[in-house]
Amino acid sequence: MNLRAILTTIVVLIAALAGTIWLGRGNSTLETGNSGNRPKAVEDDRPKVSETGPYPKAVVDEELYKFGEMAVGQSLSHKFVLKNEGEAPLEVKKGNTTCKCTLSEMKDNAVAPGESIEIELIWTPKTPQENFGQTATIWTNDPKNQEMKLQIEGTVNNLISFTGDSLGSPNWSLPIMSTEEPVSFTGKIHTKYLDDFKILEIISSNPGLSSSSKPLTPEELKEVDAKSGYGIKITGDPNKFPLGGFMERLTVKTDIPNNLKSQEQDNAHKHADHEGHDHKHGEQEQYKEFVIQVSGNHTGPIRIVPTFGVHWNPKTMVLNLGEFASKEGKEVTLSMFVEGTEQPLKILSQKIVPDFLEFELKKDDKFQSKTKQRYQLKFGVPAGKPSMSFGRGNLANVKLQTNHPNAKEINFRVQFISL
């Protein structure tokens, strides 16, 4: 009795399971059969190509335009001519572009057979690039030319170039100041892209650094392959610089608009002084400024001689302690020869950054000379200080005020990495 009930239950369950599987298959078949009623994927907005013809024929005069060279910030443009040489209207639409792309007006967004339109590309580079390029994609209903790539390419250079001791770089160096006589250097600032520009003002970061400018001669312009430019003479007065290396800057203010396009507008919009305005100008135009870094070294009456293995740069007056373990510290010794006074050199005051940097000046009484004195300089980082780095833009500094009439201020700079 119990066995019969169990068997009956099993049969019922098997039948139910079979029915479920059959229904599931039936539903699957129904869904497949109705798949045609599903909404289709959205197609792109390209012109539709006729299935039977007649067809248009898209012909462009050139697909690649090489503009040669231009300057950063300049805006250039080029018009491509697209002609329909087919037998049906040519539909044209813009696809993806990497620059500004404009189509000339078309009736019903189509070009009639035998007619043409202009496609203008406008580009404004933001950085110098040796191989600069932009592309505009054009879609048509020409079955043999449904997608066209219009391209421009060329080279983008800086608007302003500098000629000095480092070609093309706005980093100029003054000769070493070893006496009280001023030292000078002349560099050039020029451009091959502007017929003319004016230097309005040159501002120095140090009163001891003066400058003057004059337009380059035709021969000088030819030498640097430029249309316009200036020679800038910089002069350093040793009496206004502390002993040691220095880095100053000149800010050159010009009449070159930040928006180069506005220069053309300004030229077209100049008024004679006696002419009146019947309109108002917009906000005051902003003009380009250029910064020239000026480095130098004022040795004056002192000369530093490092001991073996010590890295000393006499041009910049920078002592490089290198890398060392912070738990061990580091100490180096240099010799300093002083001329121009019979009195012993005395430190009137000193400022050391960071304050844990050790410094010592000691006269060598055994050194015999009628014209100079010898001193021993010690620089050190104590053992056990935390790991730290004093590098190019963050140098440690030892600034001394002395009793020497021609070395009233001496500035030593130190770089190191403690690990």
Side-chain angles (χ1 to χ4, degrees), residues 217-286:
T217 65
E219 293 76 16
E220 290 172 325
L221 290 173
K222 184 178 181 181
E223 182 181 337
V224 295
D225 186 26
K227 291 183 177 180
S228 57
Y230 291 82
I232 297 179
K233 182 180 180 180
I234 53 177
T235 301
D237 183 355
N239 295 312
K240 296 181 180 179
F241 281 91
L243 296 190
F246 59 85
M247 178 71 74
E248 303 294 342
R249 66 184 182 276
L250 295 176
T251 301
V252 182
K253 295 188 174 185
T254 72
D255 67 344
I256 304 173
N258 280 334
N259 179 359
L260 293 182
K261 290 177 62 178
S262 66
Q263 187 178 49
E264 299 174 3
Q265 296 168 359
D266 286 348
N267 290 338
H269 186 65
K270 285 181 178 177
H271 299 273
D273 292 339
H274 62 275
E275 290 182 355
H277 283 3
D278 57 357
H279 61 280
K280 294 182 178 180
H281 288 282
E283 295 183 3
Q284 186 175 1
E285 180 62 65
Q286 298 297 314

Side-chain angles (χ1 to χ4, degrees), residues 363-378:
K363 189 175 186 297
D364 183 0
D365 293 326
K366 296 180 180 180
F367 181 77
Q368 299 294 323
S369 174
K370 295 182 179 180
T371 59
K372 64 183 68 173
Q373 306 170 37
R374 181 180 182 271
Y375 292 82
Q376 185 182 70
L377 301 178
K378 283 187 179 181

Side-chain angles (χ1 to χ4, degrees), residues 131-335:
N131 299 303
F132 176 84
Q134 300 284 276
T135 302
T137 301
I138 303 298
W139 294 331
T140 78
N141 63 333
D142 177 354
K144 295 183 179 180
N145 228 343
Q146 296 182 55
E147 184 174 294
M148 308 178 70
K149 300 285 188 182
L150 304 181
Q151 298 175 296
I152 59 94
E153 65 178 35
T155 300
V156 181
N157 299 314
N158 284 316
L159 174 66
I160 292 292
S161 297
F162 299 85
T163 303
D165 53 350
S166 180
L167 186 61
S169 171
N171 297 296
W172 298 348
S173 298
L174 282 169
I176 292 177
M177 299 176 180
S178 57
T179 68
E180 295 184 29
E181 293 297 319
V183 295
S184 298
F185 172 84
T186 299
K188 299 181 181 71
I189 174 173
H190 47 86
T191 176
K192 62 168 65 176
Y193 302 105
L194 302 175
D195 292 331
D196 185 34
F197 73 95
K198 290 182 174 57
I199 292 179
L200 304 177
E201 184 181 12
I202 302 177
I203 301 175
S204 172
S205 61
N206 188 311
L209 187 65
S210 60
S211 63
S212 60
S213 65
K214 65 176 183 178
L216 296 178
T217 65
E219 293 76 16
E220 290 172 325
L221 290 173
K222 184 178 181 181
E223 182 181 337
V224 295
D225 186 26
K227 291 183 177 180
S228 57
Y230 291 82
I232 297 179
K233 182 180 180 180
I234 53 177
T235 301
D237 183 355
N239 295 312
K240 296 181 180 179
F241 281 91
L243 296 190
F246 59 85
M247 178 71 74
E248 303 294 342
R249 66 184 182 276
L250 295 176
T251 301
V252 182
K253 295 188 174 185
T254 72
D255 67 344
I256 304 173
N258 280 334
N259 179 359
L260 293 182
K261 290 177 62 178
S262 66
Q263 187 178 49
E264 299 174 3
Q265 296 168 359
D266 286 348
N267 290 338
H269 186 65
K270 285 181 178 177
H271 299 273
D273 292 339
H274 62 275
E275 290 182 355
H277 283 3
D278 57 357
H279 61 280
K280 294 182 178 180
H281 288 282
E283 295 183 3
Q284 186 175 1
E285 180 62 65
Q286 298 297 314
Y287 297 94
K288 290 186 179 295
E289 299 179 357
F290 302 92
V291 175
I292 300 172
Q293 299 289 345
V294 180
S295 61
N297 181 21
H298 184 196
T299 61
I302 69 171
R303 183 169 63 92
I304 307 293
V305 178
T307 54
F308 180 77
V310 176
H311 299 284
W312 168 258
N313 188 329
K315 185 175 181 180
T316 59
M317 297 272 286
V318 173
L319 171 64
N320 188 351
L321 298 180
E323 295 184 9
F324 54 88
S326 58
K327 64 180 180 180
E328 298 177 0
K330 183 76 175 278
E331 183 179 280
V332 299
T333 302
L334 304 91
S335 292

Side-chain angles (χ1 to χ4, degrees), residues 351-369:
K351 182 178 180 181
I352 301 178
V353 178
D355 56 8
F356 63 78
L357 185 67
E358 295 178 341
F359 171 77
E360 180 183 348
L361 173 71
K362 185 178 180 181
K363 189 175 186 297
D364 183 0
D365 293 326
K366 296 180 180 180
F367 181 77
Q368 299 294 323
S369 174

